[in-house]
Amino acid sequence: MEFTRIRYDKQHDHLRALNQSASLIQINEQLSQEIIQHKQTSEKLQQSVKRTWDILNSLFVFVGVYSLDGILQEANRAPLEAAGLQPADVIGKPFWETYWWSYSAAVQEKLKRSLREAARGRTIRYDTTARLSENRFIDLDITFGPLYDSAGEIIQLIGSAVDITERLAAEKREAEKSTQLQNILKVNPDLYFHLNYQGVLVGFVNEKNQHHFLAVETVQQRHIYEIFPPAVASQFESAIQETIQSEAATTFEYALELQQQSRWFQARLLPCQPEELLVIIQDITQKKTAEIRLQHVHARLTEAQRQAHIGSWEWNPRENSLWWSEEIYRILGLGDPDLLPTTQTFMEMVHEEDRELVARVITNTLENNLPFSFEHRIVRPQGEVRHVHLQAGLKADPQAGSQLMYGTIQDITEKQEASRIAQEYRDELAHVSRLIVKGELIAGLSHELNQPLTAIANYCGAMKTLMEQGHDVSELRDKIEGQALRSGEIIRRLKAFSQKQQQRFLFNIHDSIRSALQMINYQIRLKQIEVKTCYKNKFTTVYADRVQIEQVLVNLFKNAVEAMEHMPSPRTLTVSTTSTPDKMIQISVSDTGCGVPEHFRSKLFTPFATSKKTGLGIGLSLSRSLIHAADGKMWFLPNTRKGASFYIQLPASQKLPE
């Protein structure tokens, strides 16, 4: 039994030893696991710290760890690299003595005080400036604070700084803008206020110029119907709804009777804050008054143009843009005033026979900067032909850097018709006058010549009888001779009566040419004849009777116009002057008419010889007589192609007596 018990005790001790060994193994495994976990946690912590420093180093944010006496123990790389510093330049040194703060003793002293305060357990934060290089500085938001251990004791200091340079610059800009805005609002005559969507005034941006409202005690928190007349308030109500729906600015104008005066305002509503609109009210009385006056002036000008049948136009040759007044649309017979005018539209309405002339005149103006004034015909869309007077000139436009053509067009159809009828009356009257003069001349001639011719006939009859009877007829012969001389004297007296004594003096022949052309200007315009003048000298004098010379010129001009009447365009009357070596002034009058028939040229200056159906045949003969009386010459030459040329030579000065 004893043996058995001893054996049992040994077995029991062996089992207990095995259990203890198992427990130790388990404890060892647990410790191993804890060590591994602690190591992993430590590695993760180190990795986290490394990532944190990497992040801090990638940002321009300063983070530093200091001893309690302000010695920098650790710092991230970004501020070091920005200033071109190495860790050895700052680590282990008092923070206020580092390069960043060396530019100012006051800044260094403030840093030193701040670190001391942090060492006492306070958190210090303020804005300062750090130097990165000789000429480069940045603004920082810097913070210092204590770092505690598990026992609550301060063991270190930690500091951080954030670059706020851009933020401060932005704040400065915003402050400047705000100041500028306030200054603008102080001097701005406009009124700014806020309206909510219900139409209640909830606040002012500037409280000046409240006279833009009706006279009420206060407008704050009042509805628009309380501070504006109903008609104006209704406009505000509609504008509010339009602004809400479109989310865009809405503008309208209104008038108020203030202090017995009408004043005009412009209201502009803009989306602003939620459920609110910004309202800007501007006094536009002066502008509106000017617009109303301008409208009245425009209305009066339009009415004046309508009454006078004169329309105005403006053409930009560079852009080929054309503007017409309303009257031009009426003159051209265009019913739609919204039709965009073009030069092509106008040229298509010019009569086909006048189109080349119009184009040539306009081209000449553009090339030589010469104004023009002439008449031509237009054809309305309905086929009606109208006569118009077109005039224009060029004027420089400094803003566009080009020239604009300004002009007018006048409907002269009625005037032309009246002038035509008046001319017909004048022509008829002249014809009747010529017949009367012709009758009187014939009656005078017959009366004056009747007696001597009758006497000559009687003497001849008696002379025949006496000669048959063989008597002496010498006495009758003398009487016949006396009566013949008497007839010649009658003819000379009539000629002297028709040719009054000349009043000769020096005058400018160019003035006489202009006067003569003006006298037949109607016929020239009516028959669409272009007049060209070619003068070698601006002032050319002749010595003659001015009235008689102008009569000769008028006769030549009328003959030229009548010769070109039925000729196709172009119809050109050319007048030129030149001097000759023998001190004479030569005037030439050329036309592009039908010319003088070859068989009639020898009788051209013969009295009472004419190629016209209604002519008297005394114009050219009388003209040459007047020229000869002025010691001049007159002759005719046919043109090479078509038409005729008449030449006149007149003395350039008075001849000295020999």
Side-chain angles (χ1 to χ4, degrees):
M1 289 292 293
E2 185 64 27
F3 175 76
T4 302
R5 187 177 63 82
I6 293 172
R7 186 177 178 183
Y8 173 78
D9 291 338
K10 287 182 179 181
Q11 290 178 349
H12 181 71
D13 291 340
H14 180 69
L15 289 172
R16 187 170 58 187
L18 288 174
N19 289 334
Q20 288 178 350
S21 177
S23 297
L24 289 174
I25 292 171
Q26 185 177 2
I27 291 170
N28 185 47
E29 289 178 355
Q30 290 177 352
L31 289 174
S32 297
Q33 290 293 330
E34 289 178 0
I35 290 171
I36 291 171
Q37 290 178 357
H38 179 72
K39 185 176 181 181
Q40 291 176 347
T41 301
S42 177
E43 289 177 353
K44 289 181 180 180
L45 180 61
Q46 289 178 359
Q47 292 175 357
S48 176
V49 171
K50 184 178 183 301
R51 282 198 301 271
T52 300
W53 279 105
D54 288 341
I55 293 172
L56 292 174
N57 288 328
S58 65
L59 301 174
F60 195 85
V61 176
F62 176 81
V63 177
V65 179
Y66 314 89
S67 65
L68 295 180
D69 52 0
I71 304 300
L72 182 61
Q73 296 177 336
E74 194 170 355
N76 59 324
R77 290 196 309 271
L80 298 177
E81 293 175 352
L85 301 175
Q86 297 296 324
D89 297 329
V90 294
I91 301 299
K93 294 183 178 180
F95 186 55
W96 55 87
E97 293 182 2
T98 55
Y99 174 78
W100 298 301
W101 326 107
S102 58
Y103 69 93
S104 171
V107 172
Q108 291 177 321
E109 183 61 29
K110 187 171 183 179
L111 277 171
K112 188 175 182 180
R113 289 198 307 269
S114 300
L115 287 167
R116 288 176 181 173
E117 291 294 322
R120 296 189 183 99
R122 294 182 57 190
T123 299
I124 308 298
R125 181 179 180 181
Y126 63 95
D127 295 345
T128 188
T129 301
R131 182 170 66 178
L132 298 182
S133 64
E134 190 66 27
N135 298 315
R136 184 186 173 197
F137 294 82
I138 61 172
D139 296 306
L140 298 175
D141 177 2
I142 195 166
T143 304
F144 297 109
L147 186 63
Y148 296 92
D149 61 7
S150 58
E153 295 293 331
I154 299 174
I155 56 173
Q156 285 179 315
L157 303 178
I158 189 167
S160 64
V162 179
D163 184 359
I164 58 172
T165 305
E166 291 185 4
R167 190 194 77 188
L168 291 181
E171 290 176 354
K172 183 179 180 181
R173 288 193 297 269
E174 289 299 321
E176 290 175 352
K177 288 182 181 178
S178 178
T179 302
Q180 290 175 355
L181 179 60
Q182 292 301 321
N183 292 334
I184 291 173
L185 292 175
K186 287 179 182 178
V187 298
N188 197 317
D190 301 342
L191 173 66
Y192 298 78
F193 61 88
H194 290 277
L195 274 182
N196 63 20
Y197 284 2
Q198 289 72 43
V200 177
L201 194 152
V202 295
F204 282 101
V205 177
N206 68 335
E207 299 186 18
K208 296 174 61 178
N209 303 314
Q210 292 192 31
H211 63 273
H212 291 5
F213 303 124
L214 294 178
V216 292
E217 183 177 350
T218 179
V219 293
Q220 287 277 16
Q221 300 302 319
R222 284 183 178 267
H223 197 273
I224 51 177
Y225 276 93
E226 298 180 83
I227 55 181
F228 290 107
V232 178
S234 176
Q235 286 182 274
F236 268 97
E237 199 169 45
S238 299
I240 290 172
Q241 296 304 318
E242 183 178 345
T243 306
I244 293 173
Q245 293 174 5
S246 65
E247 296 183 354
T250 304
T251 303
F252 66 92
E253 297 176 359
Y254 64 91
L256 285 181
E257 236 4 87
L258 300 173
Q259 298 178 354
Q260 299 181 346
Q261 289 185 347
S262 293
R263 302 200 61 86
W264 281 89
F265 301 94
Q266 182 188 73
R268 183 175 176 84
L269 282 66
L270 302 96
C272 186
Q273 301 174 9
E275 300 291 323
E276 285 187 10
L277 303 173
L278 175 64
V279 182
I280 305 172
I281 297 183
Q282 183 180 16
D283 189 335
I284 59 169
T285 303
Q286 292 183 350
K287 174 186 173 185
K288 196 69 177 180
T289 303
E291 287 180 358
I292 294 173
R293 288 176 182 169
L294 185 61
Q295 290 173 359
H296 290 166
V297 170
H298 177 72
R300 288 193 289 268
L301 179 60
T302 301
E303 181 60 21
Q305 290 189 356
R306 189 184 68 82
Q307 294 286 350
H309 302 294
I310 297 178
S312 55
W313 53 272
E314 174 188 311
W315 179 41
N316 187 331
R318 175 184 292 180
E319 300 177 0
N320 196 24
S321 59
L322 186 63
W323 171 85
W324 287 343
S325 67
E326 296 177 8
E327 184 59 23
I328 290 186
Y329 287 91
R330 284 191 285 268
I331 292 173
L332 300 180
L334 300 173
D336 184 10
D338 295 327
L339 174 69
L340 183 65
T342 63
T343 53
Q344 181 180 358
T345 302
F346 176 74
M347 291 303 294
E348 288 175 353
M349 298 189 70
V350 175
H351 195 284
E352 60 180 357
E353 293 184 4
D354 303 340
R355 203 168 291 160
E356 182 182 350
L357 172 63
V358 173
R360 186 167 66 249
V361 170
I362 293 176
T363 301
N364 180 58
T365 298
L366 292 174
E367 292 177 352
N368 302 307
N369 194 15
L370 295 173
F372 63 79
S373 177
F374 68 103
E375 297 171 4
H376 65 88
R377 293 163 294 177
I378 61 167
V379 182
R380 287 180 169 177
Q382 300 79 12
E384 181 185 5
V385 177
R386 306 289 291 183
H387 291 263
V388 297
H389 179 255
L390 186 67
Q391 63 180 10
L394 290 174
K395 185 177 181 181
D397 184 4
Q399 295 181 348
S402 61
Q403 286 189 319
L404 301 178
M405 186 177 289
Y406 296 92
T408 60
I409 183 170
Q410 182 179 16
D411 188 343
I412 59 171
T413 306
E414 286 75 15
K415 178 182 175 182
Q416 286 275 38
E417 183 64 18
S419 298
R420 184 188 64 79
I421 295 173
Q423 185 64 32
E424 288 180 356
Y425 287 149
R426 285 194 294 269
D427 292 343
E428 187 68 23
L429 180 60
H431 179 64
V432 172
S433 298
R434 286 195 298 270
L435 291 177
I436 293 173
V437 172
K438 184 178 180 181
E440 291 177 350
L441 180 61
I442 293 172
L445 283 171
S446 64
H447 175 74
E448 291 290 336
L449 295 175
N450 184 54
Q451 290 180 350
L453 291 177
T454 301
I456 290 172
N458 292 334
Y459 289 147
C460 287
M463 187 176 179
K464 181 179 180 182
T465 302
L466 290 175
M467 288 178 68
E468 290 176 351
Q469 296 175 356
H471 295 290
D472 184 18
V473 294
S474 57
E475 184 181 355
L476 291 176
R477 184 188 62 197
D478 293 338
K479 289 182 179 181
I480 291 173
E481 182 181 358
Q483 292 299 323
L485 292 173
R486 181 184 174 190
S487 298
E489 182 61 27
I490 291 171
I491 297 296
R492 281 191 294 274
R493 283 192 289 111
L494 287 173
K495 185 177 181 181
F497 175 76
S498 63
Q499 294 181 349
K500 296 180 180 179
Q501 186 177 2
Q502 289 189 336
Q503 297 179 355
R504 300 170 68 179
F505 55 89
L506 286 172
F507 62 92
N508 187 2
I509 190 62
H510 297 162
D511 293 339
S512 295
I513 292 172
R514 281 192 291 270
S515 298
L517 288 171
Q518 186 62 34
M519 291 176 68
I520 63 165
N521 185 47
Y522 171 77
Q523 291 95 326
I524 291 174
R525 297 199 318 267
L526 183 65
K527 296 176 174 59
Q528 296 290 304
I529 293 173
E530 181 184 5
V531 177
K532 292 183 178 180
T533 56
C534 181
Y535 306 145
K536 287 193 174 181
N537 299 308
K538 292 184 179 180
F539 194 84
T540 302
T541 59
V542 297
Y543 183 74
D545 188 313
R546 178 169 182 168
V547 174
Q548 293 183 356
I549 298 304
E550 289 181 0
Q551 289 175 347
V552 172
L553 292 173
V554 168
N555 184 60
L556 293 177
F557 294 160
K558 287 183 68 176
N559 289 344
V561 169
E562 291 172 359
M564 293 186 286
E565 181 176 5
H566 301 294
M567 299 297 291
S569 296
R571 309 182 187 101
T572 306
L573 172 61
T574 305
V575 184
S576 62
T577 61
T578 184
S579 58
T580 64
D582 54 349
K583 297 182 180 179
M584 301 288 281
I585 300 300
Q586 180 171 300
I587 304 111
S588 66
V589 179
S590 302
D591 62 62
T592 56
C594 57
V596 179
E598 188 173 357
H599 70 274
F600 187 75
R601 293 174 185 174
S602 60
K603 300 182 290 183
L604 191 60
F605 295 101
T606 303
F608 303 107
T610 179
S611 61
K612 302 177 184 177
K613 293 181 180 180
T614 58
L616 294 177
I618 60 174
L620 286 176
S621 64
L622 180 60
S623 295
R624 189 163 68 168
S625 297
L626 293 175
I627 296 299
H628 286 173
D631 299 327
K633 301 176 184 178
M634 181 175 178
W635 69 94
F636 153 82
L637 288 176
N639 291 340
T640 304
R641 298 183 62 185
K642 62 178 179 178
S645 296
F646 286 84
Y647 297 89
I648 298 171
Q649 282 190 358
L650 293 170
S653 61
Q654 183 179 5
K655 290 184 179 180
L656 297 176
E658 296 181 358

